[in-house]
Amino acid sequence: MFVVIDDREGVTQGYAAGFDREGVVSIGFTSTDFRDWLECAVGNDLTVIRAFLLGDCPDRTSIPSSIRNRSRAPIIALNSLKHLKQTIELFEAGVDDVVHAPVHVREIMARTAVIRRRTIDQHEPAQTSVIRVFLDGRDPEVAGRTLVLPRRELRILEHLVGHQGKWLTKTQLFNAIYGLFDASFDENVIESHVSKLRKKLRDHLGFDPIESKRYMGYRLDDLKSRPANEAPISKAN
């Protein structure tokens, strides 16, 4: 999920529409509403955030430090004017990148992926021995071949690869794919998405790399740790 902080409603709505076209969840806040939300957000809420986009608001040089107290997710500032002094001030305030707005959401996703690879994803790999995801909208490579996936199945695979070897509950996957504020879907929809994804991976690989366990959720095996002739045991969804 991407969080857009901007006091202009049209801007937050515009980026929300752009992310939605890419099958990515986002939420827009004014700076005041964002501070209120950040103060009461629990840890699990913050772990699903891919990046914070900092737009136009009067206190934006103080917002990065508030974010850093709660989250390591990248902070990307959106500047409508190429102003050297503003750019330097934003970097000094703690943002990870400054881009000239308007900017396409695919570029934002690509920049976010690069920042995460350099910093917080050092222990959250973007690939297993046979699956590689890119986190920038491209389809994954599975066993050296591109596997075209619907966007929500792609997001689930990206999340599983990023947390390979760890159990992710249905709720955690739902929040990562649909966001924290979407009440129009039941979290049981995740079961359908995962079932379809597992079938495609099984057809592509010849085995099912996703384990499932009641009350624990789903886990993508760290395939590097398994003998080449040993496939994960597939359990019922």
Side-chain angles (χ1 to χ4, degrees):
M1 184 175 77
F2 285 80
V3 173
V4 184
I5 309 155
D6 198 298
D7 286 349
R8 299 166 296 177
E9 184 177 0
V11 171
T12 56
Q13 289 179 345
Y15 281 109
F19 281 117
D20 186 62
R21 286 192 293 270
E22 299 297 326
V24 177
V25 177
S26 67
I27 182 70
F29 288 104
T30 64
S31 58
T32 300
D33 288 345
F34 173 73
R35 287 186 182 278
D36 290 342
W37 173 78
L38 185 65
E39 184 177 341
C40 64
V42 298
N44 286 340
D45 291 346
L46 297 170
T47 59
V48 303
I49 296 173
R50 297 297 298 175
F52 298 89
L53 306 183
L54 185 56
D56 187 22
C57 49
D59 54 344
R60 69 177 184 161
T61 54
S62 65
I63 289 178
S65 62
S66 299
I67 293 174
R68 279 292 165 261
N69 289 333
R70 301 294 311 279
S71 172
R72 295 184 301 155
I75 305 171
I76 300 177
L78 308 172
N79 252 0
S80 56
L81 296 175
K82 291 185 177 180
H83 195 291
L84 179 59
K85 181 180 178 182
Q86 286 184 356
T87 299
I88 293 174
E89 287 176 348
L90 286 165
F91 277 120
E92 290 177 343
V95 304
D96 297 289
D97 199 0
V98 179
V99 298
H100 184 243
V103 57
H104 198 283
V105 295
R106 290 289 295 273
E107 181 177 339
I108 292 172
M109 292 166 62
R111 288 177 179 270
T112 299
V114 169
I115 295 169
R116 293 185 72 95
R117 284 198 299 269
R118 290 175 177 171
T119 55
I120 63 178
D121 281 346
Q122 293 174 2
H123 303 293
E124 298 176 12
Q127 60 181 333
T128 71
S129 58
V130 293
I131 301 173
R132 183 183 183 193
V133 296
F134 300 98
L135 308 175
D136 58 7
R138 285 180 287 171
D139 285 307
E141 290 182 0
V142 179
R145 296 176 292 156
T146 298
L147 176 61
V148 178
L149 292 173
R151 286 168 179 163
R152 287 195 168 86
E153 291 175 30
L154 171 60
R155 303 299 165 224
I156 289 173
L157 182 62
E158 289 174 343
H159 208 61
L160 288 170
V161 170
H163 296 81
Q164 60 177 286
K166 301 177 182 177
W167 290 102
L168 296 174
T169 66
K170 187 165 55 178
T171 299
Q172 287 175 310
L173 284 175
F174 181 87
N175 289 342
I177 308 311
Y178 286 94
L180 301 169
F181 308 99
D182 193 339
S184 58
F185 291 92
D186 187 285
E187 67 177 28
N188 288 325
V189 72
I190 291 297
E191 294 180 7
S192 175
H193 290 321
V194 173
S195 178
K196 294 174 182 176
L197 173 62
R198 294 176 78 170
K199 182 179 185 305
K200 292 169 185 175
L201 290 173
R202 189 184 300 114
D203 291 344
H204 214 72
L205 290 170
F207 62 91
D208 184 358
I210 298 175
E211 293 182 299
S212 61
K213 186 175 292 188
R214 194 177 183 184
Y215 304 122
M216 296 184 68
Y218 302 95
R219 177 175 69 177
L220 185 71
D221 247 25
D222 181 358
L223 301 177
K224 294 178 180 178
S225 67
R226 284 187 174 269
N229 61 352
E230 182 182 353
I233 298 173
S234 174
K235 300 179 177 64
N237 280 304

